[in-house]
Amino acid sequence: MQGIIENLVAELTRLPGIGRKTAQRLAFFILSMPDAEALSLARAIGAVKEKARFCGRCFNITEQEVCEICSDDTRDRDRICVVEEPSTIQVMERVKGLHCLYHVLLGALSPIDGITPERLKIGELVNRVRNNGVTEVIIATNPNTKGEITAQYIKEVLSPFPVKVTRIAYGLPMGSDIEFADEVTLGKALEGRREL
Amino acid sequence: MLRRTEGIVLKTFPFGEADLIVTFLTGSYGIVKTFAKSPRKTRSRFGSSLEPLTHSKISFWGREDAALPRLTQADIIHPFDTIRSGLQCFLKASEVLELTLIFMPERDACAGVYGLLVSTLHAMEADCGAGLRVLHYKLKLLDSVGYLPRLKGCGRCGGDSESFHLSQGSVVCDACSKGSAVTFRLSPGVISLASNLLVWDTAKIQRIKPADGLVMELSRLLDEHVKYVTERELKTRAFRG
């Protein structure tokens, strides 16, 4: 018995942000769950690993060959929003008015970690722009150094094509006070100011 | 114990949901790895102070021997954001950061290297095009940490030689080399360029315009030397095309 619980604790500690104490708490919670709920959790994990795969066009996570977004004919197919991870698509989808296609890079360039363009899905993005008559590429990589460098690299590789490359704006988060902003964020917000 | 110092962010590593492990080169403690709580959230008090290259005043909390003290404050002194906003310039700066991470030991202060890094970044910000900056930094860093290749005088007898042997980290004369293979035949210009770079300070580098061939020769020699010493290729080399 001790061995089975110990094994579950060890497996749970593999998850990000889960230490041994939390893993023990989760293991005993799973033990106290009704059989049906615990088995449903186990089946859900199994199903994700069995069926989830990357979309053949945009590299979002899907169960089919092509994801729901790429197969949706009502979407604006002239615009592609580029994101680092599939999880960002869910956040972008909450934005009203953006009803375009996506492209997931599966990471961001990082010279110091040896993450080169070949390790990301940048070549596939170039192919989509070349073959599908895309008119705008919106780069929504994270507003940090890796995201910015990735955005600049994409701009460079897309420069031979007749496509507008845009970058999401930098600035202050809604609901915050200017006095707490650092000079770089504030500088970027001023750079991107617009006429009212 | 709360410690305060100045430092430059060399590298960040995402941890958990929104946390970061931030590696600084500090003036007082050498390389320090710290744990920062939630800087990746949009309303984090750290703002952009933990982006690579940022020069900040930092405070961190933990036992003296704690492997990962907690970062409590980071106030920007100079962001070096203009280096980050240019792809080519950032690639050069990344090589500088990678070399520092490889050669500088943790928790071993070296004010010379810290000062050299700060002045190199300021110089890169002013004029990133000067090709000698990374070479200059590389030579001075290797000198500070004791891995500088010996380019003048045989490493065994002190006699004249222009045959550099990677395995010896030095030029070795024919009599002392005992038939071992020469890795590089150094041109006199390279030897003098390397010795000049070691004595010139960062601010004067932009005035020097050596022949491209000499710069390439010295660059290739140092790359191979670093590879031999560290037993691996620099990760940033993959970006040099």
Side-chain angles (χ1 to χ4, degrees), chain A residues 110-116, chain B residues 91-103 134-135 137-138 141-142 219-241:
Chain A
S110 177
I112 210 157
D113 299 310
I115 300 179
T116 56
Chain B
L91 291 178
K92 284 182 193 171
S94 295
E95 190 173 343
V96 166
L97 298 187
E98 188 180 8
L99 286 164
T100 313
L101 277 165
I102 290 173
F103 284 103
V134 179
L135 262 186
Y137 183 82
K138 212 181 275 187
L141 175 71
L142 291 172
S219 181
R220 204 164 67 87
L221 179 126
L222 290 181
D223 282 346
E224 290 304 315
H225 176 69
V226 167
K227 189 177 162 188
Y228 186 85
V229 170
T230 59
E231 297 181 340
R232 69 175 179 83
E233 197 95 60
L234 285 182
K235 288 177 180 168
T236 44
R237 257 189 104 172
F239 279 82
R240 281 199 216 162

Side-chain angles (χ1 to χ4, degrees), chain B residues 85-221:
Chain B
S85 59
L87 180 60
Q88 292 310 321
C89 195
F90 182 71
L91 291 178
K92 284 182 193 171
S94 295
E95 190 173 343
V96 166
L97 298 187
E98 188 180 8
L99 286 164
T100 313
L101 277 165
I102 290 173
F103 284 103
M104 288 301 291
E106 271 188 48
R107 303 290 177 103
D108 193 359
C110 179
V113 172
Y114 177 70
L116 176 68
L117 180 61
V118 174
S119 60
T120 302
L121 292 179
H122 276 292
M124 286 178 100
E125 192 174 45
D127 175 19
C128 202
L132 283 179
R133 295 222 189 283
V134 179
L135 262 186
H136 176 257
Y137 183 82
K138 212 181 275 187
L139 274 171
K140 289 229 172 185
L141 175 71
L142 291 172
D143 190 25
S144 297
V145 295
Y147 283 108
L148 185 71
R150 184 181 165 129
L151 304 183
K152 228 179 199 175
C154 170
R156 291 196 181 147
C157 69
D160 284 344
S161 176
E162 285 161 3
S163 311
F164 184 80
H165 292 247
L166 261 188
S167 57
Q168 307 297 315
S170 167
V171 288
V172 182
C173 68
D174 291 345
C176 296
S177 68
K178 293 173 186 162
S180 77
V182 178
T183 325
F184 289 99
R185 285 259 177 236
L186 302 180
S187 59
V190 161
I191 299 168
S192 115
L193 176 64
S195 27
N196 285 336
L197 282 174
L198 278 169
V199 291
W200 285 329
D201 68 44
T202 316
K204 289 179 187 159
I205 295 297
Q206 68 197 42
R207 297 187 207 160
I208 305 154
K209 306 273 184 242
D212 288 350
L214 284 184
V215 176
M216 276 174 66
E217 191 181 336
L218 183 58
S219 181
R220 204 164 67 87
L221 179 126

Side-chain angles (χ1 to χ4, degrees), chain A residues 123-138:
Chain A
E124 288 80 352
L125 172 67
V126 174
N127 286 339
R128 284 181 78 184
V129 170
R130 183 189 291 128
N131 302 329
N132 299 339
V134 176
T135 56
E136 184 179 0
V137 171
I138 305 163

